[in-house]
Structures are given as structure tokens and as C-alpha cells.
Amino acid sequence: MTELSGGPALPQERRVVTAIPGPKSQELWARKQETVAAGVGAVLPVFVKRAGGGVLEDVDGNSLIDFGSGIAVTSVGNSAEAVVRRATAQLADFTHTCAMVTPYETYVEVCEQLTDLTPGDHAKKSALFNSGAEAVENAVKIARAYTKRQAVVVFDHGYHGRTNLTMALTAKNMPYKHGFGPFAPEVYRVPLAYPYRWLTGPENCAQEAVDQVITQITKQIGAENVAAIIIEPVLGEGGFIEPAKGFLPAIANFAKENGIVFVADEIQSGFCRTGQWFACEDEGVVPDLITTAKGIAGGLPLAAVTGRAEIMDAAHAGGLGGTYGGNPVACAAALGSIETMRELDLNAKAKRIEEVMKGRLTAMQEKFDIIGEVRGRGAMIAIELVKSGSKDPNPEVTGALAKACHQEGLLVLTTGTFGNVLRFLPPLVIGEDLLNEGLDILEAAFGAL
């Protein structure tokens, strides 16, 4: 019998045939403990053998419903046909030359696609890198080169990476920053318009937050010293927070009025994840620079900074790059990923996922008062969990729910500054039957608390 491959051919079903993790995964975990640094953890210690569509199959034969997408990476599904086809063809031609030594057409093609897809009809250019953190770090370099300024403004609850500079930009201490300092200087943090937790209520959130941000920048930093303001249009690790309506446009306008480069970090929220190509489009915000990674290449490591041509050209020749940045195989995969997004209209699929998930989760909120808020857009949905009768964060029950879901064959992720948010990032190609089955498991887990 021919062994099944992964990708779209994988049976789209949940199947639990052993305890999770099963014996083979446990054996591999023991081997990992012997040879892999302890700092490299795992949300769920099952070892994946195949994946595709909306499922992950482990080495023990269990098939898990995937509500994680490798943290918003495999939006087009694991081993999507166009990704595999294009990457395989590129592998057969050549695997590497270094784009800074002898370039190749696929690098240019990816940059052309980014020009076409990102917001705004102004002249744009891009540079390609390996990871989201690299993209953010290079956006800072570019902004500083363009403005001849040094200060960088970021927001409460923001996450931007694990390099030294991006740890400084990131708000959450544990596990991202603890014990790893000192961090890069000239980074300033300001309040975020977080409607659910705004002290005077969500109706006052946008304007009061804007006023606080502008006051802090002008009085404590000096707008004339700020090179860049960086924000996630929908915050990822901070808890899938949607800033209050009006906040993003106001901050972008303030940046424009003061010669500050406005950077949208769309590493988690980009490429159809929120039901639009990029989350900043929801309020018509056109960033000066936009950073992308995760969903861009269907699982291969690729990232980009795209922005106004005059800003992107501010860095001197040789000032941007890296040995593997824009690797030809990753570029081919990105072209396959974008092809899939266009052909399957994954923006529409993300909106349908939102409709199903929010409908089900809102009904659960009416039954279980520990669900403080249901929020998010597209296939980037979350629930914030609180202690009954309050808004006090409830990380304990969040962890318990995640564990219960894992045992039943549903992969879910936790997140949030307070560790009290369950986030849902299903592949955009997931079948509606699997989506509802996963939500059934979640509801049963709530009922068993």
C-alpha cells in the first residue's frame, strides 16, 4: 500500500488513536530533551509526520484539527499544491546563490507582488529577509536612515521579535525578554487603545488613547526625534487586540504631520489572515513601511519590508541584505502561496471562518461568563478569559482549556500579555466541518470545567 502524502491529499478528519502525546511522540520527546536546548519549548509535544488542509498527523497516527497554522504561517494549508510545485522546480534548478552576489528573477517577482498587494498606489520598493524579527529590525534601520533620527515608538502589548532590538520593541517580559538584557536604547513605549481594558470604557478608548500617545511623544521624547512609530494593526502575541476604531488613522496622521515613518507590522495579520490582504486596510490606513513574514511563503522562511520608494532607497548600497535573505526556494514558495490566495479567494474564506467562529463563540460567551470578550477579524479570532464576575485575567483556566482541547485532538494556542487569551488561527483552507468539530471540542471543554 502506498503511504499517504501530506498536503491537500491528507484525509480531512480528526482521529485520536492513542493518548496525546502517544508513545512514539514521547520517545522522540525524550530524545529532544537530550539534544535540544531547554529554551526551545513546545506547546504540544506531539511530533508531526504529515500535515495538510486543516489537520496535523503525528507519528502515532493521530490526526489533530489545526487551529494554529504554525502561528499563522501555513495560511494556504501545509504543502499547498502551488507552493510544493514551485518550490520543487526551484530546488531542481538551484538552491542558493545569495541575492547580493548573483540575483535571480523570483526575488524580483516577489517584490513586484508586494508592490501590487500592499496598501497605497504610490511608488514602492521591497527588501527580502528571513524572519519577522529581521524585517522589523530592518524597517527601523531604513526609517533611521531616511529621517536621520533615532527614537522608535512602540505600544503596550506589542510583540515584534526575539533579536536584541526587537526584544526592546516587544512589551511582554516572559518568555521573550526575561534575563536577556540589556536591550537596545532609544525605544519608547506608549499606551494602546485596548477597548476591553480601557478604564473609562470602550466608548472613550480611541480619543483618550490618541491624546495620551501624542502627549507622551511630544512631551517626553520630542516628535522631531522620532524616526518610526511601529504598531501591529491587530496585535498578535499581545492577545489579538483590535485597537479601538479611529486610533490607527489618528496615529498615522500624527506621524505624517511630524515627518515620522509609520510602520505597520503585519507579520501575523497579513496575507488574507483578517479577511483582507492586510489588516491596516480595514480603516484605510496606508503605512509608509509594512513588514511581512509568516503567511507569505506557505511555511518556508521569508520576510519583507515594503514601503515608499524614497524611504526604502534611503539605506546605502550594501546596507540591507543577508546571506539567505530572499532565498530562491522561499521566493518560489511565496509566489505559490500568493497564487493560492488569489485562486481560492482566501480573503473570502477568512471572512467565512470569522462568521462561523464568532457565531459559535458568542453563543458560548452567553453560557460561560468566564469568556470576557470575543474579538478579532477573519481567521484571527480570540477569546479573553476572566474570573467569574470580573475582568481579572484567568490564565489558569486558559491553560486548562488548551490542555483539554489538546487531549481531544484539537491544537489551540494561548497568548496575551496576561496569558489569558485563547487564540484561533486555522488554515484558511480548513473545511467547515472540521472548523465546527473543533468548536464542539472547545465547547465541551468549557462544559467540563
Side-chain angles (χ1 to χ4, degrees):
M1 180 178 176
T2 303
E3 193 172 41
L4 288 169
S5 64
L10 199 63
Q12 296 297 291
E13 61 183 17
R14 180 177 69 98
R15 185 174 63 253
V16 179
V17 296
T18 72
I20 296 177
K24 291 181 180 179
S25 280
Q26 291 180 43
E27 181 182 339
L28 284 166
W29 184 255
R31 287 170 56 189
K32 174 185 180 295
Q33 299 292 78
E34 289 294 318
T35 57
V36 178
V40 181
V43 170
L44 176 57
V46 300
F47 283 74
V48 173
K49 187 174 183 179
R50 304 181 188 87
V55 298
L56 305 167
E57 185 181 294
D58 72 12
V59 292
D60 290 289
N62 299 297
S63 180
L64 284 66
I65 299 173
D66 183 10
F67 274 15
S69 299
I71 315 183
V73 169
T74 54
S75 296
V76 296
N78 256 291
S79 299
E81 185 278 329
V83 172
V84 173
R85 168 170 41 84
R86 286 179 178 256
T88 301
Q90 180 59 58
L91 278 166
D93 288 340
F94 63 94
T95 56
H96 178 73
T97 67
C98 185
M100 300 181 301
V101 177
T102 53
Y104 34 86
E105 185 177 5
T106 51
Y107 189 115
V108 177
E109 287 183 292
V110 171
C111 294
E112 289 171 339
Q113 291 286 342
L114 288 165
T115 291
D116 182 48
L117 293 172
T118 53
D121 56 7
H122 50 276
K124 302 174 198 167
K125 292 189 177 182
S126 296
L128 304 183
F129 305 99
N130 299 295
S131 69
E134 275 191 60
V136 173
E137 189 143 340
N138 277 277
V140 172
K141 287 166 58 177
I142 293 163
R144 284 174 168 166
Y146 178 72
T147 61
K148 312 301 182 189
R149 304 170 180 178
Q150 294 185 343
V152 179
V153 172
V154 289
F155 292 81
D156 287 340
H157 309 287
Y159 175 86
H160 301 288
R162 294 174 183 260
T163 62
N164 186 266
L165 175 58
T166 56
M167 281 192 293
L169 303 176
T170 291
K172 190 174 180 179
N173 175 51
M174 194 64 170
Y176 306 115
K177 303 168 69 170
H178 187 73
F180 298 144
F183 303 114
E186 288 299 312
V187 173
Y188 300 89
R189 198 171 315 285
V190 295
L192 176 80
Y194 185 170
Y196 181 67
R197 295 199 171 273
W198 199 255
L199 289 178
T200 61
E203 66 279 4
N204 301 313
C205 183
Q207 190 57 56
E208 289 182 1
V210 168
D211 292 344
Q212 288 185 28
V213 169
I214 292 174
T215 297
Q216 284 189 219
I217 292 175
T218 56
K219 302 304 180 186
Q220 298 182 26
I221 310 165
E224 67 277 11
N225 296 317
V226 178
I229 295 174
I230 307 174
I231 189 168
E232 302 160 273
V234 177
L235 280 73
E237 300 298 315
F240 284 23
I241 303 164
E242 290 187 89
K245 296 297 183 188
F247 181 76
L248 282 175
I251 300 301
N253 288 336
F254 172 79
K256 182 177 182 180
E257 290 168 357
N258 288 276
I260 300 167
V261 176
F262 183 80
V263 183
D265 179 343
E266 293 259 13
I267 288 158
Q268 190 161 164
S269 59
F271 289 100
C272 305
R273 177 53 59 180
T274 63
Q276 295 167 297
W277 281 100
F278 299 98
C280 60
E281 296 178 73
D282 184 65
E283 293 188 87
V285 172
V286 178
D288 297 311
L289 300 179
I290 185 167
T291 59
T292 53
K294 290 192 183 288
I296 191 175
L300 275 73
L302 189 69
V305 182
T306 302
R308 298 184 185 277
E310 68 274 17
I311 299 177
M312 291 296 298
D313 281 344
H316 54 271
L320 304 177
T323 301
Y324 296 107
N327 169 269
V329 181
C331 285
L335 295 171
S337 183
I338 293 168
E339 174 188 331
T340 304
M341 291 173 187
R342 292 183 189 275
E343 288 190 356
L344 299 182
D345 191 3
L346 293 191
N347 280 316
K349 290 189 180 295
K351 290 175 182 175
R352 176 58 184 161
I353 289 170
E354 176 184 352
E355 183 180 1
V356 172
M357 294 199 84
K358 279 193 169 177
R360 292 286 306 274
L361 293 170
T362 300
M364 290 183 212
Q365 185 180 24
E366 293 173 359
K367 293 171 62 177
F368 308 110
D369 68 353
I370 59 172
I371 301 178
E373 184 175 44
V374 177
R375 59 176 178 251
R377 296 204 301 271
M380 190 174 181
I381 303 295
I383 52 176
E384 179 159 355
L385 300 170
V386 295
K387 294 178 180 177
S388 184
S390 74
K391 286 190 176 182
D392 294 342
N394 198 337
E396 296 81 13
V397 79
T398 306
L401 282 165
K403 185 176 181 180
C405 289
H406 295 164
Q407 293 301 309
E408 294 299 319
L410 171 66
L411 175 64
V412 296
L413 305 173
T414 61
T415 191
T417 299
F418 310 107
N420 68 320
V421 176
L422 278 177
R423 59 174 161 175
F424 309 112
L425 291 162
L428 305 182
V429 296
I430 193 171
E432 205 163 306
D433 54 342
L434 278 179
L435 189 65
N436 274 303
E437 186 176 358
L439 292 165
D440 290 341
I441 292 169
L442 177 65
E443 186 165 7
F446 270 108
L449 286 175

